Amino acid sequence: MSAVATGKRGSLWQGLSDWANRHRKWVLAAPAIIFVIALMVVPLLYTLVLSFTDAQGSIQRAFDFVWFENYISILGDTARFWPAVWRTVIFTAVAVTLEMTIGMAVALLLRRPFMGRGLVRVVMLLPLVATPVAVAMMWLLIFEPTVGFANQVLGWLGLPAQGWISDPSTALPTLMLVDVWQWTPMVILILLAGLVGLPEEQQEAARIDGASTWQRFWHVTLPMLKTTVIAALLLRSIDAMKTFDLLYVTKGTGGGSSHEVETLNIYAYALSFDYNEYGMAAALVLIYFLIIVGVLVVLNMRRKENRR
């Protein structure tokens, strides 16, 4: 190899090295960016393309583009789509409200020193250790109408047995309570971390001024904790809207023709794997994705406003 070629190669390598050094923040982040694109953006684009087609049955067969017909059909489905939207909203709103309320109360209690506080914190986190499917199976047995423990307790108290999950009128509220049982500890953990980091000077000043416990919480603690509260609300709202394991394991695709607990997740699953309507399912998934992104943007804007 000639000295000229060797010199050119060395110059090229030096140039690439200098360029990489000047743009090292992008070079170092490139593997993660490529991974995210491969894992998220590509499937999302494929789903977008699929939503404009009449794909159904075998995905390998030829399909035609129908453009916005799937979206029009989904949005015009008053029998299942809009009831599923309503159930998703109700499930998320009620579950998250209860989780935030109970989580705040328990976090305030756990902030105070008392004997056995460490043990209580460990026991409190146990629901988070179990997988959602295991939790669903456990509560499915507890709420079994004939031999379930829940109806046995009602019998001891002299109360009539309930249908719980098997009753269309109580299935969704029952599953909301299960979700609250499982995910309230996560809210407690987030809020407790925020409470521990709050300064005590404001609390002491309000106490000296004669403020009651409720006044100190409402006018001192809560305003300082607002950013943490919104962060917990953001995480739980998005997660609750995507709940699938609990609803599917306990009620399958909605419990027959009534679809009493069919949320958007369950409806999308039914379209895809029960009816093999892949184009329709893709359109529904993207509509659902836009709803979640909209909630995320609104809550994130609120979080940024409270930081100012």
Side-chain angles (χ1 to χ4, degrees):
M1 185 180 293
S2 65
V4 175
T6 304
K8 287 183 177 179
R9 178 170 294 184
S11 177
L12 178 61
W13 176 255
Q14 184 63 39
L16 289 174
S17 178
D18 292 341
W19 180 88
N21 188 50
R22 290 194 305 271
H23 302 86
R24 56 184 177 273
K25 64 179 181 179
W26 297 109
V27 173
L28 294 174
I33 294 174
I34 295 172
F35 178 78
V36 169
I37 291 175
L39 193 66
M40 298 182 62
V41 177
V42 172
L44 185 61
L45 290 176
Y46 178 73
T47 304
L48 178 62
V49 172
L50 200 63
S51 70
F52 292 125
T53 70
D54 63 349
Q56 57 183 330
S58 175
I59 199 67
Q60 277 75 30
R61 77 168 183 84
F63 51 79
D64 299 320
F65 281 90
V66 294
W67 301 110
F68 291 98
E69 287 185 15
N70 289 329
Y71 292 92
I72 294 172
S73 298
I74 289 291
L75 294 175
D77 183 5
T78 58
R80 292 185 67 175
F81 173 73
W82 289 109
V85 171
W86 177 246
R87 292 187 199 99
T88 304
V89 171
I90 291 296
F91 181 90
T92 302
V94 174
V96 173
T97 299
L98 290 175
E99 288 161 9
M100 294 298 297
T101 304
I102 298 172
M104 178 64 77
V106 176
L108 290 171
L109 292 175
L110 292 179
R111 185 189 184 191
R112 301 177 179 180
F114 59 87
M115 185 178 297
R117 182 174 62 172
L119 178 62
V120 171
R121 289 181 177 180
V122 172
V123 173
M124 176 197 69
L125 295 176
L126 288 179
L128 294 178
V129 177
T131 60
V133 172
V135 168
M137 292 300 297
M138 178 187 72
W139 284 100
L140 190 61
L141 294 174
I142 291 175
F143 289 129
E144 209 283 326
T146 55
V147 297
F149 182 69
N151 277 339
Q152 289 185 16
V153 173
L154 292 180
W156 296 339
L157 299 175
L159 299 175
Q162 301 295 320
W164 302 110
I165 296 175
S166 62
D167 186 345
S169 63
T170 59
L172 193 62
T174 300
L175 294 178
M176 291 176 192
L177 294 178
V178 176
D179 189 81
V180 170
W181 175 86
Q182 184 177 13
W183 294 110
T184 298
M186 189 187 81
V187 176
I188 295 172
L189 200 62
I190 296 172
L191 296 180
L192 187 59
L195 286 169
V196 170
L198 295 182
E200 292 291 337
E201 290 79 6
Q202 289 87 343
Q203 290 281 347
E204 189 62 30
R207 189 179 294 107
I208 293 173
D209 290 341
S212 64
T213 302
W214 172 253
Q215 289 173 331
R216 292 198 304 271
F217 167 75
W218 189 256
H219 297 289
V220 180
T221 303
L222 193 57
M224 291 192 297
L225 197 64
K226 191 172 290 186
T227 302
T228 304
V229 170
I230 293 178
L233 182 63
L234 177 66
L235 292 173
R236 273 308 302 145
S237 296
I238 300 301
D239 201 36
M241 289 182 69
K242 299 186 299 179
T243 300
F244 176 81
D245 320 63
L246 174 66
L247 300 175
Y248 180 76
V249 172
T250 54
K251 293 300 292 182
T253 57
S257 59
S258 59
H259 307 293
E260 62 268 13
V261 296
E262 186 178 72
T263 60
L264 287 174
N265 263 339
I266 303 297
Y267 185 28
Y269 180 91
L271 281 176
S272 182
F273 296 102
D274 291 341
Y275 308 126
N276 296 325
E277 295 283 353
Y278 300 118
M280 293 277 288
L284 175 58
V285 166
L286 285 174
I287 293 172
Y288 194 22
F289 175 76
L290 292 176
I291 293 173
I292 293 177
V293 170
V295 173
L296 176 63
V297 169
V298 171
L299 292 176
N300 197 43
M301 289 174 59
R302 290 287 301 166
R303 183 174 62 86
K304 289 181 178 180
E305 288 175 1
N306 286 303
R307 280 185 172 182
R308 296 172 183 173

